[in-house]
Amino acid sequence: MKRVGAPEVPSRAALSAPEMTTKQAPQALKAPEVVVPPAAPRSSAAHRHGGPGAGAGLQRLEVQRVFGPAQPKTGESNIILVGAPASGKGTQAKLLESKYGLVQISTGDLLRKAKGSPLGDEAATYMSAGKLVPDALVMKLLEQRLHALGTPPKGFILDGFPRTLAQAQGLSALLQGLGAKIDRVIVLEVPAQTVIGRISGRRSCGDCGEVYHLENKPPKKSGCCDKCDGPLIQREGDTVEKVKVRLDAFEAQTAKVIPFFERRGIVSRVDADRDSAEVLSDVTQILEPAPGGAGLAPLAAGE
Ligand code: ADP
């Protein structure tokens, strides 16, 4: 597959003023005003979770309060990962989480965790059939999760959302209301054959969600998660027949989300039919600051 390299990264001002025609934009979706980041930075995910190095982060916070940050701050950008099932969205999201201190929001994980509640049980019937869960249901879960990040929500990676045009529009309106924006959309491109191969061997931890592959990334101990010793399970919907349904849903619905963001000039495409480290390297090039440009700063040691 042809790899499309990292495009020129638009300035933050350009990213925060999406181009929309009146026809495309219902009232709530009109080009949001430029959101100027506050002088004092929010802390990285490690700090938010009270992780190690929070003290160093606080010191830096004090310095930045006085002088202002020299460049875009770690953990403040909002990113969307788009891709077919098993394109590596979850894997890249976790890698980006630890590299930049961002927070992964996987709607698939949120839906699986909601199992046992009326909302989760309704979603499960769609998921096990390989179908998309109704928009209203997913929007509700996402909204709750974003609110939990504070206002405005910053420093998140959406993994598996939006998957329909209605979700993309709903997200736009939601973020606008919260004074936030999406900085970059990364499309992970993989051929259908790769998707089928990856999904049939995919296993994930029932406790922490870490993803394995029986051939490409086997766990050290068969059936057990390397990280938390939780049980490895095959997700419902991860069978070859269901994958075909999911690929169809991707082509018919999720692929339409890409032009929605392309019109705003924030889409980058990456060849994801490669080792996850190689994919991460490309993603990093897209996200990190070019000289004089905009982007993310990786976590410094101890952050
Ligand atoms: P994958 O990316 O491999 O499809 P996910 O864990 O992201 O795995 O999603 C699993 C299932 O959860 C999907 O097949 C779909 O049924 C449901 N799902 C996840 N996110 C959404 C969404 N944004 N809209 C509708 N359904 C979703």
Side-chain angles (χ1 to χ4, degrees), residues 254-271:
T254 310
K256 290 189 185 140
V257 162
I258 301 168
F260 178 87
F261 292 108
E262 263 168 350
R263 287 196 290 275
R264 292 155 177 76
I266 56 171
V267 173
S268 301
R269 293 169 186 268
V270 170
D271 174 5

mmCIF file of all heavy atoms in Angstrom, residues 254-271:
data_model
loop_
_atom_site.group_PDB
_atom_site.id
_atom_site.type_symbol
_atom_site.label_atom_id
_atom_site.label_comp_id
_atom_site.label_asym_id
_atom_site.label_seq_id
_atom_site.Cartn_x
_atom_site.Cartn_y
_atom_site.Cartn_z
ATOM 1 N N THR A 254 -17.842 4.537 8.342
ATOM 2 C CA THR A 254 -16.734 5.242 9.004
ATOM 3 C C THR A 254 -15.849 5.990 8.009
ATOM 4 O O THR A 254 -15.349 7.076 8.316
ATOM 5 C CB THR A 254 -15.915 4.250 9.849
ATOM 6 O OG1 THR A 254 -16.832 3.518 10.660
ATOM 7 C CG2 THR A 254 -14.918 4.958 10.729
ATOM 8 N N ALA A 255 -15.647 5.418 6.820
ATOM 9 C CA ALA A 255 -14.791 6.090 5.838
ATOM 10 C C ALA A 255 -15.330 7.483 5.507
ATOM 11 O O ALA A 255 -14.562 8.381 5.152
ATOM 12 C CB ALA A 255 -14.663 5.232 4.583
ATOM 13 N N LYS A 256 -16.629 7.677 5.692
ATOM 14 C CA LYS A 256 -17.237 8.987 5.376
ATOM 15 C C LYS A 256 -16.858 10.065 6.393
ATOM 16 O O LYS A 256 -17.073 11.252 6.162
ATOM 17 C CB LYS A 256 -18.758 8.855 5.339
ATOM 18 C CG LYS A 256 -19.233 8.070 4.153
ATOM 19 C CD LYS A 256 -20.727 8.129 4.025
ATOM 20 C CE LYS A 256 -21.173 7.217 2.899
ATOM 21 N NZ LYS A 256 -22.368 6.477 3.195
ATOM 22 N N VAL A 257 -16.348 9.613 7.513
ATOM 23 C CA VAL A 257 -15.946 10.557 8.544
ATOM 24 C C VAL A 257 -14.671 11.311 8.107
ATOM 25 O O VAL A 257 -14.450 12.466 8.480
ATOM 26 C CB VAL A 257 -15.680 9.765 9.861
ATOM 27 C CG1 VAL A 257 -14.870 10.542 10.847
ATOM 28 C CG2 VAL A 257 -17.000 9.293 10.459
ATOM 29 N N ILE A 258 -13.859 10.647 7.287
ATOM 30 C CA ILE A 258 -12.552 11.220 6.920
ATOM 31 C C ILE A 258 -12.707 12.550 6.153
ATOM 32 O O ILE A 258 -12.091 13.547 6.547
ATOM 33 C CB ILE A 258 -11.681 10.181 6.167
ATOM 34 C CG1 ILE A 258 -11.473 8.957 7.072
ATOM 35 C CG2 ILE A 258 -10.340 10.786 5.759
ATOM 36 C CD1 ILE A 258 -10.883 7.745 6.395
ATOM 37 N N PRO A 259 -13.552 12.606 5.087
ATOM 38 C CA PRO A 259 -13.705 13.896 4.401
ATOM 39 C C PRO A 259 -14.222 15.006 5.305
ATOM 40 O O PRO A 259 -13.879 16.171 5.122
ATOM 41 C CB PRO A 259 -14.725 13.588 3.288
ATOM 42 C CG PRO A 259 -14.747 12.118 3.150
ATOM 43 C CD PRO A 259 -14.293 11.533 4.440
ATOM 44 N N PHE A 260 -15.021 14.632 6.307
ATOM 45 C CA PHE A 260 -15.542 15.632 7.265
ATOM 46 C C PHE A 260 -14.380 16.386 7.913
ATOM 47 O O PHE A 260 -14.416 17.601 8.080
ATOM 48 C CB PHE A 260 -16.391 14.910 8.319
ATOM 49 C CG PHE A 260 -16.949 15.799 9.406
ATOM 50 C CD1 PHE A 260 -18.164 16.451 9.233
ATOM 51 C CD2 PHE A 260 -16.267 15.964 10.608
ATOM 52 C CE1 PHE A 260 -18.679 17.264 10.245
ATOM 53 C CE2 PHE A 260 -16.777 16.772 11.619
ATOM 54 C CZ PHE A 260 -17.990 17.419 11.434
ATOM 55 N N PHE A 261 -13.321 15.627 8.283
ATOM 56 C CA PHE A 261 -12.172 16.270 8.929
ATOM 57 C C PHE A 261 -11.177 16.805 7.899
ATOM 58 O O PHE A 261 -10.445 17.751 8.189
ATOM 59 C CB PHE A 261 -11.488 15.289 9.886
ATOM 60 C CG PHE A 261 -12.348 14.950 11.074
ATOM 61 C CD1 PHE A 261 -12.935 13.703 11.197
ATOM 62 C CD2 PHE A 261 -12.598 15.894 12.055
ATOM 63 C CE1 PHE A 261 -13.747 13.396 12.280
ATOM 64 C CE2 PHE A 261 -13.403 15.606 13.147
ATOM 65 C CZ PHE A 261 -13.985 14.347 13.266
ATOM 66 N N GLU A 262 -11.161 16.183 6.703
ATOM 67 C CA GLU A 262 -10.257 16.689 5.655
ATOM 68 C C GLU A 262 -10.601 18.132 5.306
ATOM 69 O O GLU A 262 -9.710 18.935 5.047
ATOM 70 C CB GLU A 262 -10.340 15.794 4.411
ATOM 71 C CG GLU A 262 -9.222 14.776 4.394
ATOM 72 C CD GLU A 262 -9.404 13.682 3.354
ATOM 73 O OE1 GLU A 262 -10.481 13.572 2.742
ATOM 74 O OE2 GLU A 262 -8.453 12.923 3.156
ATOM 75 N N ARG A 263 -11.883 18.435 5.321
ATOM 76 C CA ARG A 263 -12.296 19.812 5.008
ATOM 77 C C ARG A 263 -11.722 20.802 6.013
ATOM 78 O O ARG A 263 -11.635 21.987 5.749
ATOM 79 C CB ARG A 263 -13.830 19.915 4.998
ATOM 80 C CG ARG A 263 -14.469 19.257 3.785
ATOM 81 C CD ARG A 263 -15.891 19.707 3.612
ATOM 82 N NE ARG A 263 -16.778 19.182 4.635
ATOM 83 C CZ ARG A 263 -17.353 17.982 4.569
ATOM 84 N NH1 ARG A 263 -17.134 17.184 3.540
ATOM 85 N NH2 ARG A 263 -18.147 17.576 5.526
ATOM 86 N N ARG A 264 -11.336 20.300 7.174
ATOM 87 C CA ARG A 264 -10.759 21.178 8.202
ATOM 88 C C ARG A 264 -9.239 21.169 8.155
ATOM 89 O O ARG A 264 -8.587 21.795 8.989
ATOM 90 C CB ARG A 264 -11.243 20.713 9.578
ATOM 91 C CG ARG A 264 -12.729 20.940 9.743
ATOM 92 C CD ARG A 264 -13.331 20.004 10.762
ATOM 93 N NE ARG A 264 -14.744 20.289 10.944
ATOM 94 C CZ ARG A 264 -15.682 19.935 10.075
ATOM 95 N NH1 ARG A 264 -15.360 19.294 8.940
ATOM 96 N NH2 ARG A 264 -16.936 20.229 10.283
ATOM 97 N N GLY A 265 -8.659 20.388 7.210
ATOM 98 C CA GLY A 265 -7.207 20.376 7.025
ATOM 99 C C GLY A 265 -6.431 19.720 8.154
ATOM 100 O O GLY A 265 -5.284 20.065 8.410
ATOM 101 N N ILE A 266 -7.046 18.745 8.854
ATOM 102 C CA ILE A 266 -6.344 18.176 10.010
ATOM 103 C C ILE A 266 -6.124 16.661 9.877
ATOM 104 O O ILE A 266 -5.832 15.997 10.865
ATOM 105 C CB ILE A 266 -7.079 18.498 11.342
ATOM 106 C CG1 ILE A 266 -8.534 18.013 11.312
ATOM 107 C CG2 ILE A 266 -7.025 19.977 11.647
ATOM 108 C CD1 ILE A 266 -9.221 18.109 12.673
ATOM 109 N N VAL A 267 -6.256 16.142 8.651
ATOM 110 C CA VAL A 267 -6.127 14.682 8.482
ATOM 111 C C VAL A 267 -4.725 14.298 7.991
ATOM 112 O O VAL A 267 -4.176 14.933 7.101
ATOM 113 C CB VAL A 267 -7.188 14.167 7.480
ATOM 114 C CG1 VAL A 267 -6.956 12.692 7.155
ATOM 115 C CG2 VAL A 267 -8.591 14.372 8.045
ATOM 116 N N SER A 268 -4.143 13.271 8.585
ATOM 117 C CA SER A 268 -2.889 12.675 8.109
ATOM 118 C C SER A 268 -3.124 11.189 7.946
ATOM 119 O O SER A 268 -3.832 10.583 8.763
ATOM 120 C CB SER A 268 -1.770 12.866 9.130
ATOM 121 O OG SER A 268 -1.567 14.215 9.388
ATOM 122 N N ARG A 269 -2.512 10.611 6.917
ATOM 123 C CA ARG A 269 -2.681 9.172 6.680
ATOM 124 C C ARG A 269 -1.359 8.450 6.891
ATOM 125 O O ARG A 269 -0.308 8.966 6.522
ATOM 126 C CB ARG A 269 -3.166 8.926 5.247
ATOM 127 C CG ARG A 269 -4.572 9.438 5.011
ATOM 128 C CD ARG A 269 -4.907 9.434 3.535
ATOM 129 N NE ARG A 269 -6.199 10.064 3.314
ATOM 130 C CZ ARG A 269 -7.356 9.399 3.274
ATOM 131 N NH1 ARG A 269 -7.369 8.086 3.398
ATOM 132 N NH2 ARG A 269 -8.481 10.048 3.067
ATOM 133 N N VAL A 270 -1.457 7.263 7.461
ATOM 134 C CA VAL A 270 -0.253 6.482 7.745
ATOM 135 C C VAL A 270 -0.478 5.056 7.267
ATOM 136 O O VAL A 270 -1.576 4.508 7.435
ATOM 137 C CB VAL A 270 0.019 6.488 9.281
ATOM 138 C CG1 VAL A 270 1.100 5.502 9.648
ATOM 139 C CG2 VAL A 270 0.390 7.886 9.748
ATOM 140 N N ASP A 271 0.549 4.468 6.661
ATOM 141 C CA ASP A 271 0.478 3.058 6.283
ATOM 142 C C ASP A 271 0.608 2.234 7.564
ATOM 143 O O ASP A 271 1.681 2.172 8.165
ATOM 144 C CB ASP A 271 1.623 2.745 5.313
ATOM 145 C CG ASP A 271 1.706 1.262 4.976
ATOM 146 O OD1 ASP A 271 0.820 0.499 5.414
ATOM 147 O OD2 ASP A 271 2.662 0.868 4.286
#
